[in-house]
Amino acid sequence: MPGIVIVGAQWGDEGKGKVVDLLAEQADAVVRFQGGNNAGHTIVRDGEEFKFHLIPSGILYPDKLCMIGNGVVLDPRILLDEIDGLKRRGIDVSNLRISANAHLIMPYHVLLDTAGEVRLGKLSVGTTRRGIGPCYADKALRLGIRVQDLLDEKILRKKIMAALAFKQQALRELSVQRRKLRKEAGEGAREGADPSVAAAPDPRLDLHSLTEEFAGYGHRLEPHIADTARLCWEALDGGHTVIFEGAQATLLDLDHGTYPFVTSSNPIAGAATVGAGIGPADIDQVWGVAKAYATRVGAGPFPTELEDEAGRHMLERGHEYGTTTGRERRCGWMDLVALRYAVRLNRMDALTITKLDVLSGLDPLLVAVRYRSREGAIFDQFPYHQSILHSVEPEYEELAGFDLDLSECRSEADLPAQARAYLDFIADFAGVPVRLVGVGPGRDQVVWVGQSAD
Ligand code: IMP
């Protein structure tokens, strides 16, 4: 099975990094195909913790090719920090390849992201403020700057110059609007307190220094820049296994998620084709990763959200704080209506259920099996209409909980009957087998269900 896509089945932070890390053991290459450093993967290897935002999770294996595909938006400063951090810890990064076609997150993208969120006020998306949306917007506007542009200072300067004029104007307008709003709200005294909306020209947006700074990144990244699509074809055509690593998750998908409370890329399996440069027939398997409960960071509908003791239990026992922003994640029961939607949308072959250990001590365990609208209409399927999704109430099935600490379980037989029944219920409802279960953060803290991956 040479092409395997791994995607998040919920709202992100499902533990995809750990699953990729485990499956990568039997793969030859790992490719990220969308998103940027809004993502955060934590991998615990021999008690040592590694946090990645951009580098594919397979980097801890010295013999795997790790690629950042063309669909990724890349902040070169963050990437270089990650490379340096890994080198300091003795990890070889010579197998890292970066697509020459990937787009760069520029400082003005980060400023615009923050300024846009501030401008939206109560309507803000709750982005990670890493410049993801503005960077993808520039890509669509054909004003983007790509990795390959770093290699020619003349071209780089021209492209930055073309983009910069619009950005400075947009930032100025956002700043003026913001000041007007503050004045109306009688907040004149605090004016200018927010550096993200400071009046342009911003010294961080000086053409000359930006060009120099980015050309410098180009020199450092040059050994890693490659035609990653071709490298994928060579691996796949040679019968090697390639893992396509999704970031974020299905319900944050720009087209199919809970728009506008989504990210600006397509984190679903189909997007691996565009974001890595392969054909649909190159994908042999799609694995979805879901937590045993649900979490969400940022704003947007979340039907099964809890604001009670059970939610607190998930937050604390599951250490539900963002890897990228440190924000507290919203927690709730497993939403099977949303999961079944994600299974179909990605045409998943298998599910991985992570953090099952976190549910220990909760009884009963609730799983949402349908929604009810304010008017009493029943939704067995994930509703496409945003206003409906915002106001639905979940209807739950109650399943028996368990008290056993699962962190030492390594086989299905070690799991309590209630935990197995919980997994069976999820698999039956979603219509795909659960193949792997996470019972702790460690690499070895997993239970293979049925047969193992090999
Ligand atoms: P952006 O991707 O920074 O534009 O943020 C858009 C939405 O996606 C916000 O609700 C973020 O909290 C969410 N988001 C982006 N990346 C991740 C992630 O890796 N995990 C969970 N949520 C994310």
Side-chain angles (χ1 to χ4, degrees):
M1 46 174 204
I4 308 170
V5 184
I6 296 176
V7 287
Q10 297 162 316
W11 280 282
D13 310 309
E14 296 95 347
K16 296 176 289 294
K18 175 172 161 176
V19 177
V20 173
D21 182 47
L22 275 173
L23 295 184
E25 203 165 349
Q26 288 148 57
D28 301 281
V30 181
V31 195
R32 264 200 61 183
F33 59 88
Q34 47 69 230
N37 60 308
N38 46 349
H41 298 311
T42 307
I43 296 169
V44 181
R45 199 44 102 79
D46 302 327
E48 226 189 317
E49 198 175 74
F50 293 87
K51 284 185 195 294
F52 303 119
H53 296 289
L54 268 169
I55 292 189
S57 305
I59 196 75
L60 298 181
Y61 298 94
D63 57 332
K64 319 281 179 206
L65 203 54
C66 279
M67 295 182 254
I68 297 181
N70 56 277
V72 170
V73 287
L74 187 154
D75 187 328
R77 291 169 299 183
I78 305 292
L79 180 61
L80 284 163
D81 276 354
E82 283 188 13
I83 291 175
D84 292 341
L86 282 167
K87 281 184 180 164
R88 274 197 300 276
R89 292 168 80 173
I91 311 284
D92 179 16
V93 292
S94 56
N95 275 340
L96 177 69
R97 298 286 179 278
I98 306 163
S99 167
N101 289 348
H103 279 247
L104 295 170
I105 296 182
M106 304 296 288
Y108 45 78
H109 291 138
V110 180
L111 292 172
L112 280 167
D113 197 356
T114 302
E117 283 285 274
V118 171
R119 170 77 186 87
L120 281 171
K122 280 193 193 127
L123 298 175
S124 71
V125 174
T127 73
T128 58
R129 302 194 176 192
R130 300 297 189 262
I132 307 296
C135 184
Y136 277 117
D138 266 1
K139 176 177 176 175
L141 280 170
R142 288 150 296 175
L143 279 176
I145 296 170
R146 296 189 294 171
V147 167
Q148 58 184 277
D149 300 326
L150 294 174
L151 302 177
D152 185 324
E153 200 165 326
K154 251 195 187 154
I155 291 181
L156 180 64
R157 175 186 296 272
K158 268 194 195 156
K159 293 205 171 177
I160 295 180
M161 192 158 54
L164 212 51
F166 291 105
K167 305 306 165 221
Q168 278 168 334
Q169 189 185 343
L171 281 165
R172 246 193 317 265
E173 275 166 17
L174 282 164
S175 165
V176 169
Q177 280 173 6
R178 178 77 185 144
R179 264 188 270 167
K180 218 168 113 193
L181 282 175
R182 281 201 172 141
K183 223 178 201 164
E184 278 167 20
E187 291 178 40
R190 279 177 46 216
E191 203 168 302
D194 188 340
S196 67
V197 291
D202 188 308
R204 289 166 291 189
L205 303 187
D206 173 68
L207 173 64
H208 179 70
S209 41
L210 263 186
T211 311
E212 275 209 340
E213 180 189 344
F214 276 72
Y217 298 144
H219 289 305
R220 292 202 52 205
L221 291 175
E222 192 166 2
H224 300 283
I225 301 175
D227 181 351
T228 51
R230 190 167 297 280
L231 293 175
C232 286
W233 307 335
E234 283 167 11
L236 291 164
D237 294 347
H240 300 296
T241 299
V242 181
I243 293 180
F244 299 92
E245 176 180 6
Q248 291 83 49
T250 303
L251 299 170
L252 291 174
D253 184 272
L254 183 58
D255 287 78
H256 300 281
T258 53
Y259 190 91
F261 301 100
V262 293
T263 191
S264 298
S265 66
N266 294 104
I268 57 171
T273 58
V274 180
I278 53 156
D282 287 315
I283 300 173
D284 297 275
Q285 289 234 354
V286 178
W287 285 50
V289 186
K291 255 179 227 180
Y293 45 100
T295 62
R296 172 162 206 170
V297 247
F302 183 5
T304 62
E305 182 169 11
L306 292 170
E307 274 158 21
D308 62 2
E309 266 314 296
R312 208 72 231 151
H313 172 113
M314 293 165 189
L315 177 80
E316 278 159 18
R317 293 278 296 273
H319 309 290
E320 296 296 352
Y321 301 91
T323 318
T324 302
T325 57
R327 284 181 290 179
E328 230 177 58
R329 294 178 185 141
R330 299 155 68 192
C331 296
W333 294 116
M334 166 65 94
D335 184 341
L336 291 178
V337 183
L339 184 67
R340 191 163 55 186
Y341 171 69
V343 165
R344 182 61 192 92
L345 195 55
N346 292 284
R347 237 291 272 114
M348 288 176 198
D349 297 284
L351 269 173
T352 289
I353 300 294
T354 58
K355 292 191 153 183
L356 186 61
D357 54 303
V358 171
L359 294 185
S360 168
L362 289 176
D363 194 9
L365 298 174
L366 270 56
V367 289
V369 291
R370 66 187 78 83
Y371 302 145
R372 181 184 288 273
S373 76
R374 268 198 213 120
E375 295 74 27
I378 295 292
F379 289 87
D380 291 311
Q381 309 293 340
F382 198 69
Y384 70 85
H385 203 295
Q386 201 202 334
S387 333
I388 291 175
L389 192 62
H390 269 284
S391 59
V392 289
E393 285 295 329
E395 293 202 344
Y396 291 109
E397 191 83 30
E398 280 191 17
L399 303 173
F402 49 90
D403 260 330
L404 190 80
D405 171 10
L406 303 189
S407 60
E408 299 299 323
C409 296
R410 295 294 177 270
S411 73
E412 262 183 283
D414 295 339
L415 293 173
Q418 298 90 331
R420 274 182 280 149
Y422 186 73
L423 295 171
D424 286 346
F425 193 92
I426 293 172
D428 281 350
F429 197 97
V432 278
V434 171
R435 293 282 311 277
L436 183 65
V437 180
V439 291
R443 204 166 178 275
D444 60 327
Q445 289 182 295
V446 289
V447 171
W448 285 98
V449 182
Q451 78 225 74
S452 79
D454 39 30

